[in-house]
């Protein structure tokens, strides 16, 4: 719909050869040295389904992560060396990354992935990468396979499309695929973008990937300005048009039990509706927020209408003066709002049927 707030993930698509990528900011990287920069992590949406073909979004970090000059990530740095993904240092890096750089509620929104990889011969490596039964076995964060790294449907049509920067310049990044030629060789994308193998005790960068659970996403908003437009901190504000491709998420926080007593409300444009609520979360960045949606489920207005000082109380919502007469839904929820580029967390919507009178 070209709007800066979209219910669910309907505004986000996988790679498109004409439009390019959509991006989601998710998690926050903590840099351990000067080779990377701390801050929100930018992810490419490779596909609007998981890498196993199921419902979800398949995401890959836009840039490379790691420590030290080359990245500091080893596939396996303990002799005798092995290129088996399960139990590897590479898998351990992914697990540590997830627990250290993702909020527990973000981690809960990531699907566990189980996937087998078939034999695959790279366009630039004559010896194939070996098949692996259940190479991913409940993994949440992982590296791409050699086949995924050459999948044009993900935007990897050539070597140049695979080049990614680490510390301001292109660098090699690990894949999960075991090389069939040597037991100590594993797949990697070299700095020039081609797929080949590297000895597993090499020191290179990481490019993590994961599958996002769509049921965990209440709504998406433009990464900048989608929920920070003037007026949104004090009442309902019309949702702006948006033609960009960078998004942030508002995730369902299942620990919240927010509820509203009323199920219907009515009034004329400019009138004030009073609702009684229970179970609001209080504290820093905690709000009672509202989205007005039309009958098609499009978000028309959004606002953080109150900052509660107690779990139970009442909130007044002014019907926007520009809202046409008709039937709408007031989605009322308890929300932790964290600002541009950062994931927000909210209760399930308490839906109130709103009739706007002439």
């Amino acid at each position: 719909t070209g709007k800066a707030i979209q219910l669910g993930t309907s505004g986000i698509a996988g790679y498109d050869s004409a439009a390019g990528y959509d991006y989601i900011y998710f998690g926050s990287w903590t840099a351990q040295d000067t080779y990377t920069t701390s801050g929100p992590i930018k992810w490419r949406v490779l596909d609007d389904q998981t890498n196993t073909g199921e419902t979800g979004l398949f995401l890959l970090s836009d840039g490379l992560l790691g420590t030290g000059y080359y990245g500091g990530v080893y596939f396996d740095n303990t002799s005798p060396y092995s290129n088996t993904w399960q139990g590897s240092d590479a898998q351990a890096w992914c697990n540590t990354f997830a627990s250290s750089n993702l909020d527990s509620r973000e981690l809960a929104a990531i699907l566990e992935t189980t996937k087998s990889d078939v034999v695959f011969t790279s366009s630039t490596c004559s010896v194939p990468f070996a098949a692996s039964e259940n190479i991913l076995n409940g993994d949440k964060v992982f590296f791409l396979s050699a086949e995924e790294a050459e999948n044009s449907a993900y935007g990897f049509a050539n070597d140049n499309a695979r080049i990614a920067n680490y510390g301001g310049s292109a660098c090699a990044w690990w894949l999960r695929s075991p090389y069939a030629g040597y037991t100590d060789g594993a797949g990697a994308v070299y700095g020039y973008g081609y797929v080949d193998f590297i000895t597993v005790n090499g020191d290179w960068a990481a490019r993590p990937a994961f599958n996002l659970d769509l049921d965990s996403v209440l709504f998406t908003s433009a990464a900048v300005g989608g929920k920070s437009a003037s007026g949104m901190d004090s009442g309902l504000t019309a949702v702006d048009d948006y033609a960009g491709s960078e998004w942030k998420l508002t995730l369902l926080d299942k620990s919240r039990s927010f509820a509203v007593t009323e199920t219907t409300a009515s009034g004329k444009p400019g009138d004030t509706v009073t609702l009684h609520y229970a179970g609001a979360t209080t504290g820093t960045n905690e709000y009672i927020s509202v989205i007005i949606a039309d009958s098609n489920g499009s978000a028309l207005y959004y606002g953080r209408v109150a900052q509660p000082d107690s779990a139970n109380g009442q909130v007044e919502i002014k019907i926007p003066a520009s809202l046409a007469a008709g039937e709408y839904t007031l989605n009322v929820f308890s929300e932790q709002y964290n600002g541009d580029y950062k994931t927000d967390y909210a209760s399930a919507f308490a839906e109130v049927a709103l009739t706007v009178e002439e």
Side-chain angles (χ1 to χ4, degrees):
T1 61
K3 293 293 184 179
I5 292 178
Q6 307 263 350
L7 298 184
T9 59
S10 59
I12 297 177
Y15 174 76
D16 181 88
S17 58
Y21 291 103
D22 278 332
Y23 299 90
I24 292 174
Y25 286 87
F26 191 86
S28 184
W29 172 249
T30 301
Q32 299 180 36
D33 51 37
T34 58
Y35 291 99
T36 58
T37 302
S38 296
I41 305 171
K42 184 178 181 180
W43 302 82
R44 293 182 182 183
V45 182
L46 298 184
D47 202 348
D48 57 6
Q49 61 182 10
T50 71
N51 69 330
T52 61
E54 299 171 353
T55 300
L57 294 178
F58 185 29
L59 283 78
L60 175 72
S61 67
D62 191 49
L64 303 182
L65 303 173
T67 59
Y69 188 79
Y70 292 112
V73 180
Y74 301 90
F75 195 98
D76 181 18
N77 198 32
T78 304
S79 180
Y81 303 120
S82 169
N83 58 10
T84 301
W85 169 259
Q86 290 293 327
S88 66
D89 292 332
Q91 185 192 44
W93 184 94
C94 289
N95 294 337
T96 300
F97 162 82
S99 61
S100 301
N101 297 279
L102 302 178
D103 184 275
S104 60
R105 293 163 291 186
E106 290 176 317
L107 193 55
I110 295 177
L111 294 167
E112 293 185 353
T113 299
T114 297
K115 186 177 189 291
S116 298
D117 291 342
V118 299
V119 174
F120 177 74
T121 302
S122 164
S123 60
T124 54
C125 183
S126 59
V127 177
F129 294 94
S132 298
E133 184 73 17
N134 289 344
I135 186 170
L136 299 179
N137 193 2
D139 295 60
K140 285 208 165 189
V141 177
F142 48 86
F143 294 157
L144 297 186
S145 69
E147 183 178 22
E148 289 165 352
E150 290 199 2
N151 189 341
S152 59
Y154 295 157
F156 299 127
N158 52 50
D159 291 348
N160 190 59
R162 283 181 284 272
I163 294 174
N165 286 338
Y166 173 76
S169 60
C171 182
W173 45 283
W174 285 110
L175 303 172
R176 68 175 184 265
S177 299
Y179 182 60
Y182 306 100
T183 57
D184 61 351
V189 175
Y190 278 68
Y192 293 104
Y194 59 88
V195 174
D196 209 326
F197 79 95
I198 296 179
T199 305
V200 293
N201 64 337
D203 165 13
W204 302 108
R207 197 174 190 184
F210 68 87
N211 291 306
L212 180 70
D213 182 3
L214 300 189
D215 291 337
S216 296
V217 182
L218 281 171
F219 61 98
T220 57
S221 53
V224 178
K227 295 169 70 176
S228 60
S230 177
M232 284 181 172
D233 270 335
S234 57
L236 289 168
T237 303
V239 176
D240 288 336
D241 293 335
Y242 182 61
S245 59
E246 297 192 353
W247 301 87
K248 56 172 280 187
L249 307 179
T250 299
L251 295 179
L252 174 63
D253 182 351
K254 294 182 179 179
S255 69
R256 297 174 184 244
S257 56
F258 180 80
V260 171
T261 302
E262 292 78 10
T263 58
T264 62
S266 62
K268 300 179 178 64
D271 286 354
T272 297
V273 173
T274 300
L275 301 178
H276 297 81
Y277 65 84
T281 302
T282 61
T284 304
N285 298 340
E286 294 290 348
Y287 297 86
I288 294 174
S289 300
V290 176
I291 290 175
I292 295 182
D294 64 15
S295 58
N296 296 318
S298 297
L300 305 179
Y301 292 83
Y302 163 84
R304 295 178 288 282
V305 298
Q307 193 161 23
D309 53 15
S310 63
N312 306 325
Q314 66 181 41
V315 61
E316 294 185 344
I317 302 169
K318 184 177 180 180
I319 300 173
S322 57
L323 189 60
E327 302 296 325
Y328 301 91
T329 300
L330 283 177
N331 295 305
V332 189
F333 49 102
S334 169
E335 178 181 31
Q336 181 186 106
Y337 170 69
N338 296 310
D340 290 342
Y341 297 113
K342 298 177 182 178
T343 302
D344 299 327
Y345 307 96
S347 66
F349 292 154
E351 296 184 358
V352 178
L354 174 66
T355 299
V356 177
E357 303 165 350
E358 292 286 353

